[in-house]
Amino acid sequence: MSATVLVVDDSATIRQQVGDALSVAGLSVVEAADGVEGLEKILAGGINCVVCDVNMPKMNGIEMVAEVKKIESLAKVPIIMLTTEGAKDLIVRAKAAGASGWIVKPFKPEMLVAAVNKLSGLA
Amino acid sequence: MANCALEIIESELGRCTQDLLAFYSSEPEERFEVIASPASDVLREFVDCSSIGLTGEYFKLSVVILAPRSTIAQFCPIPNASTADWIGELANQLVGRLKNALIDYGHEGRLSLPVTLSGSCIQLWNETASPKSYVVRTARGQIIVRLEAEVQPDSVWEPCENSGTAAEGSMCLF
C-alpha cells in the first residue's frame, strides 16, 4: 500500500506540480488550498506525510503545523515546508512548531520525492 | 543612503527576475533581455497581472508582473494550467527571492499574499515618483515587471555575511 501525501498550497498549479511528481513516484496525493482546509484533511485521517506552503490565506503553514502537533495522534506525521521563504527566523520557527523539513521554491521533483520517502520511512 | 538602497533593490529585482524566468523557461538555452525601461506599462493584449507587497521596518515596496497569457503559459511547468494562478505564484516566487536577497543587506520584510487580475488595456498608475519598470524580452513575448519602492532615508544598507538565508532550491531536513 502506498503512502498518502497531503499537499497544501494556495496555488492550484503548485499543487498539481507537486502532486504529479509524487504520483509518478507511486505516492497517493490529497490536496488542500490553505491551512484550514489542510488541517481538516489531516484530521480526517489516512495522511502519512504533508507538503505545505508557508504564506497562505486563512491559516499559514507554520500555524497549521503548530495545530497538527497539538494533536497527540498526529504528532508524528512529518510535515515538509515548501515555500519561497528562506529567512532563518522562519525556518527556526517552523522547526520549533514541529516541521520536519524546509525546501525553498522552486523545487526539483526528485529532491521533493526523496524527502517525502525518507520522512515517511519509505526510503 | 536611500538612493543607494533603491539601487540595491532595483538591481536585485532585475537579477531575481532573470534567475526565476531562466528556471521556468521551457527552452534551456533561452536568453532574456532584462531592460530597465520607462515603458508606459500598457499591454493592449489580454494579460494576466499579479501584484505583491513586501514591507520591512525601513522600506516598503510592491512588485507587479504582467504578461500576455500565451507568454506566461510558456513559463508554466504544467500544461494547460490557469495562467492567472501561475502568474500569482510567479509573483510570489519573484518577491520571495527579492525578500531573501534583501536579508543579505540586513533588511527583513513580510510578504503579502498576491492579488491577481486579468484583462486587456491594463495601465499601471504611479504611487511613487519614480517607479522602475523592467521589460523582459523573450523569444515568445514580453513580460513587464514593475517596482515601486519607498525607503527610509537614514536606513543603512550594507552586505552582511552569514545571514543564514536558505538558497532557492535548497532543502534541509530537521
Side-chain angles (χ1 to χ4, degrees):
Chain A
M1 194 176 73
S2 74
T4 298
V5 182
L6 173 65
V7 180
V8 190
D9 199 301
D10 54 337
S11 165
T13 311
I14 290 290
R15 293 199 303 274
Q16 190 177 344
Q17 187 189 19
V18 172
D20 287 353
L22 297 175
S23 298
V24 166
L27 297 158
S28 300
V29 175
V30 177
E31 295 183 13
D34 57 59
V36 171
E37 190 184 353
L39 189 56
E40 288 171 0
K41 297 257 169 100
I42 297 169
L43 289 170
I47 303 297
N48 304 105
C49 184
V50 180
V51 177
C52 183
D53 191 11
V54 170
N55 296 317
M56 295 183 291
K58 297 183 183 176
M59 179 189 288
N60 74 41
I62 296 176
E63 291 168 341
M64 193 198 83
V65 171
E67 290 299 316
V68 171
K69 298 299 172 179
K70 285 178 188 171
I71 302 162
E72 196 176 341
S73 61
L74 299 174
K76 289 187 177 172
V77 175
I79 304 178
I80 302 167
M81 312 311 293
L82 175 64
T83 173
T84 62
E85 300 274 6
K88 189 177 180 180
D89 68 314
L90 278 179
I91 298 173
V92 169
R93 275 177 50 204
K95 185 179 178 183
S100 307
W102 189 281
I103 297 175
V104 183
K105 293 175 184 172
F107 69 97
K108 297 280 188 193
E110 58 273 21
M111 177 190 282
L112 179 68
V113 170
V116 168
N117 281 335
K118 182 172 183 180
L119 293 171
S120 304
L122 299 172
Chain B
M1 206 64 192
N3 285 342
C4 169
L6 284 174
E7 285 173 16
I8 288 169
I9 293 169
E10 290 165 5
S11 167
E12 291 293 345
L13 180 63
R15 182 185 62 77
C16 291
T17 302
Q18 174 89 32
D19 291 349
L20 183 66
L21 293 180
F23 184 90
Y24 283 115
S25 173
S26 55
E27 302 291 334
E29 299 302 319
E30 184 163 18
R31 295 282 181 267
F32 307 105
E33 258 189 300
V34 181
I35 306 162
S37 166
S40 61
D41 300 337
V42 181
L43 287 181
R44 302 205 174 276
E45 304 140 277
F46 196 89
V47 300
D48 289 312
C49 172
S50 189
S51 173
I52 192 163
L54 177 64
T55 306
E57 189 174 357
Y58 298 103
F59 70 96
K60 65 174 182 178
L61 62 87
S62 66
V63 172
V64 176
I65 177 169
L66 71 160
R69 289 193 155 175
S70 57
T71 306
I72 286 298
Q74 299 291 331
F75 291 92
C76 183
I78 303 294
N80 303 317
S82 159
T83 52
D85 177 79
W86 184 240
I87 202 165
E89 179 60 23
L90 271 183
N92 182 41
Q93 292 193 23
L94 176 59
V95 184
R97 279 174 182 256
L98 181 60
K99 175 186 172 178
N100 295 337
L102 298 186
I103 291 172
D104 292 338
Y105 290 90
H107 289 271
E108 299 217 13
R110 288 176 65 90
L111 283 170
S112 72
L113 293 172
V115 176
T116 299
L117 54 90
S118 303
S120 56
C121 294
I122 291 176
Q123 180 165 19
L124 301 176
W125 291 86
N126 302 348
E127 287 294 329
T128 59
S130 53
K132 185 86 168 188
S133 290
Y134 293 93
V135 175
V136 185
R137 293 206 170 92
T138 78
R140 294 156 296 169
Q142 69 175 17
I143 298 171
I144 290 175
V145 176
R146 163 53 114 57
L147 166 73
E148 295 211 54
E150 292 177 32
V151 180
Q152 195 163 305
D154 57 352
S155 58
V156 177
W157 294 68
E158 290 176 350
C160 54
E161 292 179 7
N162 302 322
S163 65
T165 309
E168 288 80 20
S170 66
M171 174 177 78
C172 62
L173 300 181
F174 309 138

